[in-house]
Amino acid sequence: MSTNGDVLRERFLATPLVTRHLMASTWIVCLLNPIFGVDDLLVASPYDIIRKGQLWRLVTSIAYVPGLINALIMSFVLYRLGSAWEQERGSIRILCYFLLAIVATNVGVCVLAILVAPLAPSVMSPAFLCGPGILSAFLVLITRSSQGYAGASVSILGLFTMPTLYFPLLLLVFFAMFGANPLESAASVGVGYAWARGYLDPVVPSDETLVTMEQWPAAAGLVRARGYVSVAAAGPTLPSTSASGVVNGAETQPGRDSVNDLIAQLRDHAFA
């Protein structure tokens, strides 16, 4: 029993720093919420942000966990995608990406709520809440990354083929089918598209800025912590799909790949 516990502990500590702390905070909030109701202070909603001026919710939704099932899903996605992204792009960069994605999505939700409120007044009510910020950030980053995929189209389970450009819209429908806030999902996909087209470049920190942040005295403890991936040490470990359709040295059908190829690209070579 002790051996199994040690193995799990080592595996957890081997997870990159930001991903590890996001996973830990997910479960801390999940456990504390039934006792202290912390989700009331963390969740984002247009009513609280716009009408009550509670701007901190633009950021704190990163820690919002509405229940056990969501905690399990968030932990799985963080472990499978977040750790790979952090290893490839660096700890401080992926933290900035998550925060930017979450804030931009919540701002987008507020803008959409103002626009649709005359037709659907409920979007400005206190009961209209956004979902977990982590999942919204992943939808933003998956949308942004999918637009750099080499394949012109992707086969969805062999049933039909769609242009890679519109793959995020399929994810939007998928999220909505499983109960996600449609306004938030639409904002996430929109932010991802805008990011892929360079509209967010002015607020995305450059490599030089990130290196400077790593040298701040206040960041000294963070940089030395176990699992921290510096900007200099970050980088992909596997070859990515090229425009000619070559993956890991093997030929694939040019311009058309399976959804598994796209998922592998998003996991191992995001933001390429």
Side-chain angles (χ1 to χ4, degrees):
M1 186 71 176
S2 177
T3 301
N4 292 336
D6 291 341
V7 170
L8 290 174
R9 180 176 181 275
E10 284 302 313
R11 180 173 295 183
F12 177 71
L13 292 176
T15 305
L17 184 69
V18 172
T19 303
R20 186 170 76 237
H21 280 77
L22 287 175
M23 291 171 62
S25 65
T26 293
W27 286 101
I28 291 172
V29 172
C30 183
L31 294 174
L32 292 179
N33 190 47
I35 304 172
F36 299 105
V38 293
D39 59 345
D40 292 336
L41 298 175
L42 301 175
V43 65
S45 76
Y47 175 84
D48 290 322
I49 294 172
I50 297 174
R51 294 191 173 175
K52 299 180 71 175
Q54 298 177 353
L55 299 182
W56 70 79
R57 296 179 185 272
L58 294 172
V59 179
T60 57
S61 63
I62 191 174
Y64 173 56
V65 185
L68 178 61
I69 299 300
N70 279 277
L72 290 170
I73 294 173
M74 291 163 65
S75 297
F76 176 78
V77 175
L78 279 166
Y79 183 74
R80 295 294 296 170
L81 280 180
S83 58
W85 290 356
E86 185 174 350
Q87 190 65 48
E88 179 183 351
R89 304 301 288 171
S91 296
I92 195 167
R93 187 195 306 273
I94 208 65
L95 177 60
C96 290
Y97 280 9
F98 271 117
L99 292 175
L100 175 59
I102 289 169
V103 172
T105 294
N106 287 331
V107 170
V109 170
C110 291
V111 172
L112 290 176
I114 292 173
L115 294 176
V116 305
L119 301 176
S122 61
V123 300
M124 292 299 291
S125 72
F128 187 83
L129 306 176
C130 295
I134 287 291
L135 296 183
S136 296
F138 272 110
L139 185 52
V140 170
L141 297 174
I142 288 172
T143 300
R144 180 250 185 267
S145 300
S146 68
Q147 300 310 290
Y149 183 61
S153 61
V154 57
S155 174
I156 308 299
L157 304 178
L159 300 176
F160 61 93
T161 300
M162 67 184 304
T164 307
L165 173 67
Y166 303 123
F167 177 74
L169 300 181
L170 182 65
L171 293 180
L172 192 158
V173 173
F174 178 81
F175 270 58
M177 287 175 57
F178 283 88
N181 184 318
L183 213 62
E184 183 180 22
S185 297
S188 297
V189 170
V191 170
Y193 276 128
W195 195 338
R197 282 155 180 73
Y199 294 113
L200 298 187
D201 286 353
V203 294
V204 176
S206 64
D207 289 351
E208 294 76 13
T209 299
L210 294 172
V211 170
T212 300
M213 292 169 65
E214 289 181 329
Q215 296 171 350
W216 288 349
L222 177 70
V223 172
R224 291 195 299 267
R226 180 174 179 178
Y228 182 84
V229 183
S230 68
V231 175
T237 57
L238 297 170
S240 60
T241 306
S242 67
S244 61
V246 178
V247 184
N248 295 336
E251 291 291 335
T252 65
Q253 184 177 355
R256 178 179 176 180
D257 298 297
S258 72
V259 69
N260 290 334
D261 297 326
L262 177 57
I263 292 173
Q265 174 79 8
L266 294 177
R267 183 185 66 241
D268 298 326
H269 306 287
F271 323 115

